[in-house]
Amino acid sequence: MKKCRIIGGGNFSPDVFLKNIKANPGFLIAADSGYSYLKKLEIIPDLCVGDFDSLGFVPKDCPVIKLPVAKNDTDISAAIKEGFKKDYNDFEIYGALGGERISHSLANIQLLAMVDRMGGKAVIFDENKTIRVLSAGKISFSENESGNISIFAFTNKISVKITGLRYSYNGIVKNDFPLGVSNAFIGQNSEIEVNDGTALIVIEK
């Protein structure tokens, strides 16, 4: 899958971003004020997308797609769609969480389901957490993985099998009861398998 990274104006770890971009440069999109993060890192994005109300100016050193302030898409949503247009389908999203407006964080988490529906995959990277969705498939983790992991129903319910974590489970999780919260890696290979519905997976270091 072709890698596309999108940088928003929220919180993320530059160290993780720089490590990932060194391993696989891919295509880099700045969404509005995400451009300022990249300038501090002395990185010029391949594309800038947004209405630039947060940034306060339109960048001059990269290709720009200028959006109207009144629009249906958020800047990050528009950036994702531009990535798909350029045949990218594996998205890493940074700076999608935090800030004063929780509505934007929730909207960006919802975008994970949009990418999944469009046949791609996406992960949100925060300062100390990653968030992704999984529909009808498996995700495996090595014994070196650490931290807490929570599995929520993003649809009304999910049929999920969890092995190798502190709490194993094989059954139904519904979106009105957080049964899958605060599981943990325990130093062995682990796996999450979703057989029905869409799961929201949050890993906290």
Side-chain angles (χ1 to χ4, degrees):
M1 302 181 79
K2 297 177 65 177
K3 183 75 70 177
C4 179
R5 291 185 177 84
I6 297 171
I7 314 299
N11 302 324
F12 71 96
S13 169
D15 291 340
V16 172
F17 168 71
L18 291 172
K19 178 182 177 182
N20 289 345
I21 203 170
K22 183 177 180 180
N24 180 353
F27 190 79
L28 183 58
I29 303 176
D32 203 318
S33 58
Y35 174 83
S36 62
Y37 278 112
L38 294 177
K39 286 294 285 185
K40 291 176 183 177
L41 297 173
E42 299 182 343
I43 296 173
I44 298 175
D46 298 300
L47 178 66
C48 295
V49 176
D51 54 29
F52 303 108
D53 60 342
S54 298
L55 185 61
F57 62 91
V58 178
K60 302 296 185 183
D61 58 354
C62 66
V64 169
I65 295 178
K66 178 72 165 63
L67 305 174
V69 174
K71 58 188 184 301
N72 291 328
D73 282 316
T74 64
D75 293 327
I76 289 181
S77 174
I80 289 171
K81 290 178 179 179
E82 289 301 322
F84 271 114
K85 287 179 184 178
K86 296 181 181 300
D87 202 29
Y88 291 91
N89 53 10
D90 185 358
F91 296 89
E92 290 182 4
I93 306 172
Y94 300 81
L97 307 178
E100 297 180 356
R101 299 170 67 181
I102 191 173
S103 56
H104 278 206
S105 296
L106 293 173
N108 290 329
I109 292 171
Q110 280 192 318
L111 292 177
L112 298 174
M114 181 189 79
V115 174
D116 181 71
R117 187 186 72 249
M118 294 175 70
K121 69 176 185 177
V123 180
I124 290 176
F125 287 83
D126 194 25
E127 290 180 313
N128 63 348
K129 70 178 84 57
T130 60
I131 305 175
R132 69 182 73 201
V133 299
L134 179 65
S135 298
K138 298 179 182 180
I139 184 170
S140 300
F141 303 95
S142 75
E143 60 186 13
N144 298 319
E145 193 71 51
S146 62
N148 293 325
I149 180 169
S150 299
I151 301 97
F152 303 100
F154 210 38
T155 45
N156 288 336
K157 63 181 181 179
I158 57 174
S159 174
V160 62
K161 182 178 181 181
I162 301 168
T163 56
L165 298 176
R166 177 180 294 165
Y167 306 110
S168 296
Y169 182 71
N170 188 3
I172 301 297
V173 175
K174 298 182 178 180
N175 67 358
D176 61 356
F177 184 70
L179 178 65
V181 72
S182 294
N183 211 325
F185 297 102
I186 53 174
Q188 64 185 50
N189 294 331
S190 54
E191 184 177 82
I192 298 169
E193 180 179 1
V194 176
N195 296 307
D196 185 52
T198 300
L200 180 70
I201 301 171
V202 181
I203 299 175
E204 298 167 301
K205 299 293 184 181

